[in-house]
């Protein structure tokens, strides 16, 4: 319907998550009609990011520096290491504002069915970091999904073999949540993990 | 929170319509983690489109060719000209599948308050096309908004001065709509435009 260049732009916009044919059309026409400057800036940012962004050599997060800002921050506690699945999880943990240790980002989780093994999620890097002996406590904050739990168990076994203290973040009823709307699995977990007060 | 290149990518993704800070973050991390190829392709498509796409010299729609596909289509009726506001409106009209004439795209509507006058929406081009004498009927399909109606009235006056037949698409209850949920303005219009059967 549209000219080839515009059709091509629409189909390439669909690589963005959550963007279907209608949104892609709206985005392409909007950019061409009203914000060509923004489109050009977006193109150059995409190019620069694809070219420049790699992984932090210590925590594996996405960064264009050899070592990321958090790993480089000497005011953060080196003896506490929190394991999360993605860089977005780091952002979520930081928004809690109470964790002062460092992170290790798996960039995924163990998933033998997809061919993702321990080396693919950087567990060799994590192990050598534990062997170095600076880490006193390893906090497992992978997602409470089947794969996330399996990954947590696997890492816990490895860490215990290195005599590192291992903990898992608590799972239960979220603050502000109403019992009425919480699923049974979460409630069962909350009940079995109850604490004396 | 993230490294400068990633932060910059997130803020430039916000030029897309409907993309706020959370979606921009999700998009940037998704592209960097899982689809760098798609990101590179998107960057090159954006560059090519911003560089190459201009306006059709006959109907003003977005295209990288001097004259667009519809204007070049000799099987379409040159004597019927439909005036719409945007290229997306052309797509909507084409999806109806019954119009076999040609289009003229205003790329906006008259809006004196924003400094958009007749020349900005290409009415000089439209007038010279009417003066050429090929157009027998001008169908006004601007949006039924205050600005769209004003634009339609203005164009109708100009076309009548050229002795061109002018019509406006019908407004009323949409097919499949329920009277109960139609606003009063639309119903009043549907009533006053009733046809004898």
């Amino acid at each position: 319907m549209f000219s080839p260049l515009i059709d091509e732009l629409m189909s390439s916009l669909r690589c963005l998550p959550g963007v279907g044919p209608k949104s892609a059309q709206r985005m392409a026409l909007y950019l061409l009609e009203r914000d060509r400057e923004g489109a050009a800036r977006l193109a150059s940012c995409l190019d620069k990011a694809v070219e420049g962004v790699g992984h932090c050599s210590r925590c594996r997060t996405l960064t264009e520096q050899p070592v990321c800002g958090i790993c480089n921050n000497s005011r953060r506690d080196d003896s506490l290491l929190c394991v999360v699945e993605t860089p977005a999880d780091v952002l979520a943990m930081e928004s809690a504002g109470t964790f002062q240790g460092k992170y290790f980002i798996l960039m995924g989780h163990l998933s033998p069915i997809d061919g993702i093994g321990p080396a693919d999620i950087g567990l060799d890097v994590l192990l050598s970091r534990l062997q170095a002996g600076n880490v006193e406590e390893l906090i497992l904050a992978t997602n409470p999904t089947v794969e996330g739990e399996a990954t947590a168990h696997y890492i816990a076994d490895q860490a215990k073999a290195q005599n590192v203290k291992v903990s898992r973040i608590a799972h239960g009823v979220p603050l502000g949540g109403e019992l009425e709307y919480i699923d049974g699995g979460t409630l069962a977990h909350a009940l079995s993990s109850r604490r004396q007060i």
Side-chain angles (χ1 to χ4, degrees), chain A:
Chain A
M1 179 56 224
F2 291 101
S3 61
L5 271 187
I6 303 180
D7 276 337
E8 216 179 307
L9 175 58
M10 285 177 189
S11 79
S12 66
L13 276 165
R14 296 196 49 196
C15 75
L16 296 170
V19 174
K22 269 274 171 189
S23 316
Q25 179 194 313
R26 181 162 159 248
M27 286 173 170
L29 293 177
Y30 175 87
L31 289 178
L32 290 171
E33 282 169 32
R34 305 210 203 137
D35 196 5
R36 290 188 178 225
E37 214 173 285
R41 194 172 58 240
L42 175 56
S44 102
C45 283
L46 279 166
D47 271 334
K48 274 191 281 179
V50 167
E51 189 71 27
V53 173
H55 293 276
C56 170
S57 61
R58 284 185 63 74
C59 74
R60 296 189 13 112
T61 195
L62 290 167
T63 178
E64 70 267 25
Q65 290 131 4
V67 176
C68 75
I70 292 182
C71 288
N72 255 337
N73 188 341
S74 59
R75 280 187 301 176
R76 295 185 76 118
D77 189 351
D78 254 328
S79 66
L80 268 179
L81 190 63
C82 179
V83 177
V84 293
E85 294 187 18
T86 67
D89 295 341
V90 174
L91 199 73
M93 290 293 289
E94 287 295 288
S95 77
T98 55
F99 183 67
Q100 285 302 318
K102 301 215 167 162
Y103 293 97
F104 188 85
I105 294 98
L106 302 173
M107 302 298 291
H109 44 235
L110 286 179
S111 179
I113 213 165
D114 301 313
I116 299 174
D120 300 303
I121 57 171
L123 293 193
D124 43 347
V125 182
L126 179 62
L127 196 65
S128 65
R129 193 148 159 195
L130 294 182
Q131 280 164 344
N134 285 328
V135 179
E136 281 165 25
E137 182 175 354
L138 191 68
I139 302 170
L140 299 173
T142 53
N143 290 327
T145 56
V146 175
E147 295 90 350
E149 290 291 351
T151 307
H153 275 289
Y154 185 91
I155 297 174
D157 286 346
Q158 301 245 310
K160 279 177 198 157
Q162 302 294 326
N163 290 320
V164 174
K165 191 172 142 195
V166 185
S167 59
R168 180 95 172 99
I169 54 168
H171 297 118
V173 180
L175 301 193
E178 293 180 53
L179 287 199
E180 189 180 346
Y181 300 110
I182 305 290
D183 65 295
T186 302
L187 270 183
H189 195 107
L191 206 57
S192 71
S193 307
R194 67 188 179 279
R195 295 202 315 194
Q196 205 165 0
I197 52 168

